[in-house]
Every structure is written in C-alpha cells, then in structure tokens.
Amino acid sequence: MSRSAHPAGPRHADVLPEGHYSAPPTDLNALDPKVWARTVRRDERGVATVGGLGVDALAEEFGTPAYFLDETDFRARCRAWAEAFGKDADVFYAGKAFLSRAIVRWLKEEGLNLDVCSGGELSTALSAGMPAERIAFHGNNKSEDEIRRAVEAGVGRIVLDSFQEIVRVAHIAQSLGKRQRVQIRVTVGVEAHTHEFIATAHEDQKFGIALAGGQAAEAVRRALTLDGLELIGIHSHIGSQIFDMAGFEVSARRVVQLLAEVRDEHGVELPEIDLGGGLGIAYTSEDDPREPHEIAKALSEIVTRECEAAGLRTPRISVEPGRAIVGPTAFTLYRVGTVKPLEGLRTYVSVDGGMSDNIRTALYDAEYSVSLVSRTSEAEPMLSRVVGKHCESGDIVVRDAFLPSDLAPGDLIAVPATGAYCRSMASNYNHALRPPVVAVSDGEARVIVRRETEEDLLRLDVG
Ligand SMILES: Cc1ncc(COP(=O)(O)O)c(C=O)c1O
C-alpha cells in the first residue's frame, strides 16, 4: 500500500521526513476495531482491555513483551469461516501462521481442519487430539521420516510438491501397506499480493509443479499409475495478504482447465480443488479485508462457473486461511524503554522486544499500527518509529506511526494484528527469550505458550 507524507508536521519536526505514513489519526486514543481483536476496548481509566482484563494488570502478571490472544475472537473467526464455506467445502487453518496445542483444540471444537507443514506441526496437532483425517500435510521438502509419520498417522491428505515426492510418498505408503490420499500442488503462473496480481508464464520459485509446459499434467499421469497413491485433487496457493479476488479467478480457471484435461485423457474427474490461503487482514486502518462469507461466495461462484464451462462436476473446494483467522486476534504488548527524538526526523521509541518477536517488518517491510494502551493522552501526535532492543539497525517493529508526544519510559504500547507469523517466526537473536502467548477470554487469562527462560537457552547449549 502506498501512503504519502502528511502535510502537517509532528511536534518536533519542521520538515517532514520521507516515510510511509498518512495523516495522524484524529483521535490517537481510538482503538480501531478493524485492526484490534474483537473484545479490545478502553476502560473508564483509559486503559486498554482485552476479554475484560486491563493491559496494566496483564503486564504485571505476565510481563512484557507478550502476545495476548483473544480466544473469543479466534473462535468466532473459525466459526465464521466454517459457516461461510458450509458443509460442501473444507476450511483448513494454516498452522504455520501460529500453532499451539490450545489452538488445535479450539480448531477441533469449532469444526476446522488443519494444514501442517513440518514434523513439529504434525506432532503438535496429533498430540492435541486433532483427528489425523482432518490434517493436510504440506511442504516442498518433507523428509522420509516426516512422510512416514504422516502416512502412519493416517493424515487426510499429503500435498505433493515435486516429481521426486510423488515417488517417495507412493513408495512409503506402499511399504506400509497403505494407499495415501494426495493432492498435487501446482503453480498456475499467478503471483498475487495485496491489490495486485501478476500472471506469469514461467515459474521461478521452489513450490509446486508448473502447469506451464505440461508438467502438472505429467505429474497427474504419474500419480495415477502408482498403487500407493489415491489422487483426490489439485492444490494451488497464489500468495499472501490478498484483498482482490482476481488472482483467485485466474488460478481457479487454470486449475479447472487441468481437471478437464485429466478427464479427457484419463476419464477421471478429480473430486477436490484447494485454492490455498493468503487472504488479507487489516494491519492498519487503511486496509479493507473481505469477510469470509464474501470470499466463500466469490470462490464458489468462480469454480462453479469455470466447471460448468468445462462440462465438469463442481469439485469440493477447500481453502487454507492462516493469517485471516489468527492474525487479527492478537496484539503484542511492549513496555517503552528509551524515547529518543531526532530533530527534524522522528522519535525513536525503543521497546523491550523487537525483531525477535516480530520479524515481518524487517523481512517484508510490513506495515503495522501501534497505540499507547496503558493510558490515554491528549498530547500532540508525534511521528514515531517503534524499534526493538536488538543489535541491528533494521530492528524495526513499526516503521512510521503517530504516538502521543508525552510518551515516556514505562508506558505500555501495543501493536495489533500480530497473531500470525510473529510468534511462529520468533527467534532467539541476541539470546532474546521468546515471549509467551496468553489467551484471554471472559475475564480470564491463561498462558498457552510460556515465556522462554535463560534455563531454556542454556539447556540447548551443551557446552
Ligand atoms: C500452501 C499454503 N497454504 C496456506 C498458507 C497460509 O497463508 P495465509 O496465512 O496468508 O492465509 C500458506 C502460506 O504461506 C501456504 O503456503
């Protein structure tokens, strides 16, 4: 998203620096429901609350930095996705966004399936009681051990990512006396991101098997001949943080074209099509994500129309939203340490976490918003950059945002929409201790992933 420099300067700047920011919000104390978890609001003291609990008390009890996850919101989003897609489609939550055993239990209770992409995610899912038939196993380089564990467990599907893997999975399944249900992940020549998509003829990336040049058709040919495999469908994932359905339209059209070719060549109508994840969420007030029912309607119309045109029965559709379910449900709570105004530029606000708990800004130039949450303030807006405590100048959490100019050490600030790809991508850089994830619901808070300790670090370091 492009945002332009705002004409009115922050308190300490005569000339505005370059940056990705728009006008300061008219009310710095407002917590926009678009970017904050559903139960977040301010109490009569001006302190932000989640699930009815004040962030001041939460910080006291659980420390900072910490991720607070609104369980009510998470469950409501699961239900909204399940209801939107209905009984004739399947929703697989993409565990890579954030996975823990509590999450697995909630998914199970709310009727969602689960997509995992490593042995670790598979173990987490199985150990929390997700029925294996509700698990899809992904990955571009699954080890033989991972494949064996998945087949033995009886996962509902393995998504095949290469010609070598077709043979590998078939061989392992056969050696275990099983016939594994599989999909083939194809690359359709569409790369979608936010409001744009690029249609390309050639693929230059590690995932999937290209439709171009007949490679995907050849993969289907091979999979259909192997006894250890039951080919149930075709899979396509086109990108991330997507708002526009046009990329899905092209992807669905190309996948359906393959299904028609398969029917013509083999007399087989593959019964399933998975359109992957990648649906966008609001990181800032300027983002306008679609609701699950709009997405379900759009995808189902696209697939039905394309299938009718090709004379095919409409296959069962599945999707794999990760970010769109968990992303908006959590925020990261930080304590402000050093506040350093740079004359004519901006104020650097250092917090007690950083790129170790949110790598997305450094990695993808992601945009976030941030608010003072331990109190309200009527002070002027101050152009700020929220940075971490790591030994790296790219250690930025929120590149450009307005915070009140009376911000002081000890204040609590929070970054919303950090439920996806933050804790799951967290690192121990500078031997940082990865923060806990605390689930909050109806006035109760409980740790679902505990904070790391220095003992945890030293336990792995065997001297
Ligand atoms: C195959 C597949 N499915 C689903 C997802 C989830 O994407 P998102 O969390 O953006 O919905 C990803 C993300 O990389 C993916 O690769």
Side-chain angles (χ1 to χ4, degrees), residues 92-97 115 138 159 185 207 235-237 239-242 274 276-280 319-325 420-421:
F92 286 77
Y93 168 77
K96 66 205 81 181
D115 141 12
H138 271 277
V159 182
R185 176 164 175 179
F207 291 110
H235 182 287
S236 156
H237 172 82
S240 64
Q241 188 59 0
I242 304 168
D274 190 310
L279 287 317
V319 285
E320 298 171 340
R323 181 194 321 268
I325 293 179
Y421 305 107

Coordinates of all heavy atoms in Angstrom, one line a residue, residues 92-97 115 138 159 185 207 235-237 239-242 274 276-280 319-325 420-421, ligand 1:
F92 N -9.2 -25.4 6.0 CA -8.0 -25.9 6.7 C -7.3 -24.7 7.3 O -6.9 -23.8 6.5 CB -7.1 -26.7 5.8 CG -7.5 -28.0 5.4 CD1 -8.5 -28.2 4.5 CD2 -7.0 -29.1 6.0 CE1 -9.0 -29.5 4.1 CE2 -7.4 -30.4 5.7 CZ -8.4 -30.6 4.7
Y93 N -7.2 -24.6 8.6 CA -6.4 -23.5 9.2 C -5.0 -23.8 8.9 O -4.5 -24.9 9.2 CB -6.7 -23.4 10.7 CG -5.7 -22.5 11.5 CD1 -5.9 -21.2 11.5 CD2 -4.7 -23.1 12.3 CE1 -5.0 -20.4 12.2 CE2 -3.8 -22.3 13.0 CZ -4.0 -20.9 12.9 OH -3.1 -20.1 13.6
A94 N -4.2 -22.8 8.4 CA -2.8 -22.9 8.1 C -2.0 -22.8 9.4 O -1.8 -21.6 9.8 CB -2.4 -22.0 7.0
G95 N -1.5 -23.9 9.9 CA -0.8 -23.8 11.2 C 0.4 -23.0 11.3 O 0.9 -22.6 12.3
K96 N 1.0 -22.8 10.1 CA 2.3 -22.0 10.0 C 2.1 -20.6 10.6 O 3.0 -20.0 11.1 CB 2.8 -22.0 8.6 CG 2.0 -21.2 7.6 CD 2.3 -21.7 6.2 CE 1.5 -23.0 5.9 NZ 1.6 -23.6 4.6
A97 N 0.8 -20.1 10.5 CA 0.6 -18.7 11.0 C 0.8 -18.7 12.5 O 1.5 -17.7 13.0 CB -0.8 -18.3 10.6
D115 N -3.9 -27.5 8.4 CA -2.8 -27.7 7.4 C -1.5 -27.6 8.2 O -1.3 -26.6 8.9 CB -3.0 -26.7 6.3 CG -1.7 -26.0 5.8 OD1 -0.6 -26.5 6.0 OD2 -1.9 -25.0 5.0
H138 N 1.7 -30.5 4.2 CA 2.4 -29.7 3.1 C 3.9 -29.7 3.3 O 4.4 -30.1 4.3 CB 1.9 -28.2 3.3 CG 0.7 -27.9 2.6 ND1 0.6 -27.6 1.3 CD2 -0.6 -27.8 3.0 CE1 -0.6 -27.3 0.9 NE2 -1.4 -27.4 2.0
V159 N 0.0 -33.1 0.4 CA 0.1 -32.3 -0.8 C 1.4 -32.5 -1.4 O 2.5 -32.1 -0.9 CB -0.2 -30.8 -0.4 CG1 -0.3 -30.0 -1.7 CG2 -1.6 -30.7 0.3
R185 N 0.3 -30.1 -5.8 CA 0.3 -28.7 -5.7 C 0.9 -28.2 -7.0 O 2.0 -28.5 -7.4 CB 1.2 -28.2 -4.6 CG 1.3 -26.7 -4.6 CD 1.8 -26.1 -3.3 NE 2.1 -24.7 -3.3 CZ 2.5 -24.0 -2.3 NH1 2.8 -24.5 -1.2 NH2 2.7 -22.7 -2.5
F207 N 8.1 -23.8 -4.9 CA 6.9 -24.6 -4.5 C 6.2 -25.1 -5.8 O 6.2 -24.5 -6.8 CB 5.9 -23.8 -3.8 CG 6.3 -23.4 -2.4 CD1 6.6 -22.1 -2.1 CD2 6.4 -24.4 -1.4 CE1 7.0 -21.8 -0.8 CE2 6.8 -24.1 -0.1 CZ 7.1 -22.8 0.2
H235 N -4.1 -28.7 -6.0 CA -3.9 -27.6 -5.0 C -3.2 -26.4 -5.6 O -2.2 -26.6 -6.4 CB -3.1 -28.2 -3.8 CG -2.9 -27.2 -2.7 ND1 -2.0 -26.1 -2.8 CD2 -3.4 -27.1 -1.5 CE1 -2.1 -25.4 -1.7 NE2 -2.9 -26.0 -0.9
S236 N -3.6 -25.2 -5.3 CA -2.9 -24.0 -5.7 C -2.9 -23.0 -4.6 O -4.0 -22.7 -4.0 CB -3.7 -23.5 -7.0 OG -3.4 -22.1 -7.1
H237 N -1.8 -22.4 -4.4 CA -1.7 -21.3 -3.4 C -1.0 -20.1 -4.1 O 0.2 -20.3 -4.6 CB -0.9 -21.7 -2.2 CG -0.6 -20.6 -1.2 ND1 -1.5 -20.2 -0.3 CD2 0.5 -19.9 -1.0 CE1 -1.0 -19.2 0.4 NE2 0.3 -19.0 0.0
G239 N -0.4 -16.7 -3.1 CA 0.3 -15.5 -2.5 C -0.2 -15.2 -1.1 O -0.7 -16.1 -0.4
S240 N 0.1 -14.0 -0.6 CA -0.3 -13.7 0.8 C -0.8 -12.2 0.8 O -0.6 -11.4 0.0 CB 0.9 -13.8 1.7 OG 1.9 -12.9 1.3
Q241 N -1.6 -12.0 1.9 CA -2.2 -10.7 2.2 C -2.9 -10.2 0.9 O -2.7 -9.0 0.5 CB -1.0 -9.7 2.6 CG -1.4 -8.4 3.2 CD -2.4 -8.4 4.3 OE1 -2.8 -9.4 4.8 NE2 -2.8 -7.2 4.8
I242 N -3.8 -11.0 0.4 CA -4.5 -10.7 -0.9 C -5.9 -10.1 -0.5 O -6.6 -10.7 0.3 CB -4.7 -12.0 -1.7 CG1 -3.4 -12.7 -2.0 CG2 -5.4 -11.7 -3.0 CD1 -3.5 -14.1 -2.5
D274 N -8.2 -27.3 -4.1 CA -7.8 -26.5 -2.9 C -7.2 -25.2 -3.4 O -6.2 -25.2 -4.2 CB -6.8 -27.2 -2.0 CG -6.6 -26.5 -0.7 OD1 -6.3 -25.3 -0.7 OD2 -6.6 -27.2 0.3
G276 N -5.9 -22.8 -1.6 CA -4.8 -22.3 -0.7 C -5.3 -21.2 0.3 O -6.5 -21.0 0.4
G277 N -4.4 -20.4 0.8 CA -4.7 -19.4 1.8 C -4.3 -18.0 1.2 O -4.4 -17.8 -0.1
G278 N -3.9 -17.1 2.0 CA -3.4 -15.8 1.5 C -4.3 -14.7 1.6 O -4.0 -13.6 1.1
L279 N -5.5 -14.9 2.3 CA -6.5 -13.8 2.4 C -6.0 -12.7 3.3 O -5.5 -13.0 4.4 CB -7.8 -14.3 2.8 CG -8.6 -15.1 1.8 CD1 -8.6 -14.5 0.4 CD2 -8.2 -16.6 1.7
G280 N -6.1 -11.5 2.9 CA -5.6 -10.3 3.7 C -6.3 -9.9 4.9 O -7.5 -10.2 5.0
V319 N -10.0 -24.4 1.3 CA -9.2 -23.2 1.4 C -8.3 -23.4 2.7 O -8.7 -24.2 3.6 CB -10.0 -21.9 1.5 CG1 -10.6 -21.5 0.2 CG2 -11.1 -22.0 2.6
E320 N -7.3 -22.6 2.8 CA -6.3 -22.7 3.9 C -5.9 -21.3 4.5 O -4.8 -20.9 4.4 CB -5.0 -23.4 3.4 CG -5.3 -24.8 2.8 CD -4.0 -25.4 2.1 OE1 -3.2 -24.6 1.7 OE2 -4.0 -26.6 2.0
P321 N -6.9 -20.6 5.1 CA -6.6 -19.4 5.7 C -5.8 -19.5 7.0 O -6.1 -20.4 7.8 CB -7.9 -18.7 6.0 CG -8.8 -19.9 6.1 CD -8.3 -21.0 5.3
G322 N -4.7 -18.8 7.1 CA -3.9 -18.8 8.4 C -4.1 -17.4 9.0 O -4.8 -17.2 10.0
R323 N -3.4 -16.5 8.3 CA -3.4 -15.1 8.8 C -4.8 -14.6 9.0 O -5.1 -13.9 10.0 CB -2.7 -14.2 7.7 CG -2.6 -12.8 8.0 CD -2.2 -12.0 6.7 NE -1.3 -12.8 5.9 CZ 0.0 -12.6 5.9 NH1 0.5 -11.7 6.7 NH2 0.8 -13.4 5.2
A324 N -5.8 -14.9 8.1 CA -7.1 -14.3 8.2 C -7.9 -14.8 9.4 O -8.8 -14.1 9.8 CB -7.9 -14.6 6.9
I325 N -7.4 -15.9 10.0 CA -8.1 -16.4 11.2 C -7.4 -15.8 12.5 O -8.0 -15.2 13.3 CB -8.2 -17.9 11.2 CG1 -9.1 -18.3 10.1 CG2 -8.7 -18.4 12.6 CD1 -9.3 -19.8 10.0
A420 N -0.5 -13.6 13.5 CA 0.0 -14.5 12.5 C 1.5 -14.2 12.2 O 1.8 -13.0 12.1 CB -0.8 -14.4 11.2
Y421 N 2.3 -15.2 12.0 CA 3.7 -15.1 11.6 C 4.5 -14.1 12.5 O 5.4 -13.5 12.0 CB 3.7 -14.6 10.1 CG 2.9 -15.5 9.2 CD1 1.7 -15.1 8.7 CD2 3.4 -16.8 9.0 CE1 1.0 -16.0 7.9 CE2 2.6 -17.7 8.2 CZ 1.4 -17.2 7.6 OH 0.7 -18.1 6.9
Ligands
LIG1 C1 0.1 -23.8 0.9 C2 -0.3 -22.7 1.8 N1 -1.5 -22.6 2.4 C3 -1.9 -21.7 3.2 C4 -1.0 -20.7 3.6 C5 -1.5 -19.6 4.6 O1 -1.4 -18.4 4.1 P1 -2.1 -17.2 4.9 O2 -1.7 -17.3 6.3 O3 -1.6 -15.9 4.3 O4 -3.6 -17.4 4.8 C6 0.3 -20.6 3.1 C7 1.2 -19.6 3.5 O5 2.4 -19.5 3.1 C8 0.7 -21.7 2.2 O6 1.9 -21.7 1.7

